[in-house]
Amino acid sequence: ISDSGADQVILAKAVTDGSNAAPTYQYAVEYDGNSADTLDFYFSDGALRGPFSVKPAKDVWVHAAFVKNITTVAAYLNGTKLLNTLNPQNITARATLLKIGTDNANSQRLKAGLDELMIFNRSLSPAEISAIYNNQSYRYITPATQLFNLNFTSGDNRVNVTTNATL
């Protein structure tokens, strides 16, 4: 990630589609390029929780992972756990869109390359985070039929992706 002087959203699942009204996110990861230069994880249980932050090196490839379980939020950079914070709140599920590279209102756009994105429906162990960092992510791919709908919007390099399959 390069510092652009602005926040950049890596992924965001809205509380309300098309709106950044509080509490903003069901969950999200964004880069705070305004001042902190941190990767921040947020989630909502009715109130916005976070940021849970780690500071990556700039202008180099970095592997980042955030894990939310029943009692904690953990953050890893390059396979090393750098944050483990007590937080017993739950993520409230919403039937909203997952956006990659932009926020709910199609702003705060990502100005970086994104190599691989994985979202799990369970908490990963430190050993699993390490295995993924060490290029073992193929072990976590479940064979399934995936049906994607791609919606290209001319002029702003944006792609909306929805899936009709559960992995």
Side-chain angles (χ1 to χ4, degrees):
I1 294 178
S2 296
D3 187 6
S4 69
D7 289 345
Q8 300 175 46
V9 172
I10 296 166
L11 68 91
K13 188 144 180 3
V15 168
T16 305
D17 282 330
S19 172
N20 279 340
T24 314
Y25 301 125
Q26 176 184 334
Y27 57 85
V29 176
E30 65 177 49
Y31 175 70
D32 181 345
N34 289 319
S35 60
D37 296 327
T38 55
L39 284 175
D40 301 332
F41 172 70
Y42 296 89
F43 74 92
S44 172
D45 64 346
L48 187 62
R49 307 293 178 177
F52 301 93
S53 304
V54 291
K55 190 165 188 154
K58 292 195 303 188
D59 298 316
V60 296
W61 183 90
V62 63
H63 176 269
F66 291 91
V67 177
K68 172 68 181 106
N69 66 24
I70 294 171
T71 59
T72 61
V73 173
Y76 299 76
L77 286 179
N78 298 327
T80 302
K81 186 187 288 185
L82 298 178
L83 176 76
N84 194 41
T85 302
L86 182 64
N87 192 296
Q89 288 81 17
N90 293 315
I91 297 174
T92 302
R94 310 257 184 211
T96 55
L97 297 173
L98 172 65
K99 299 226 176 171
I100 300 171
T102 186
D103 67 9
N104 308 329
N106 294 320
S107 60
Q108 299 188 102
R109 294 195 174 144
L110 181 63
K111 296 172 181 72
L114 188 60
D115 179 35
E116 190 170 337
L117 176 63
M118 301 172 86
I119 300 172
F120 293 86
N121 63 355
R122 64 176 180 83
S123 298
L124 298 183
S125 70
E128 290 172 316
I129 297 291
S130 180
I132 292 169
Y133 171 66
N134 290 305
N135 203 23
Q136 300 294 315
S137 59
Y138 68 89
R139 294 173 45 202
Y140 299 94
I141 298 172
T142 303
T145 301
Q146 300 176 44
L147 304 173
F148 291 100
N149 301 318
L150 300 178
N151 181 4
F152 293 91
T153 304
S154 177
D156 64 4
N157 298 321
R158 184 178 49 180
V159 179
N160 296 320
V161 180
T162 57
T163 180
N164 297 319
T166 301
L167 297 179

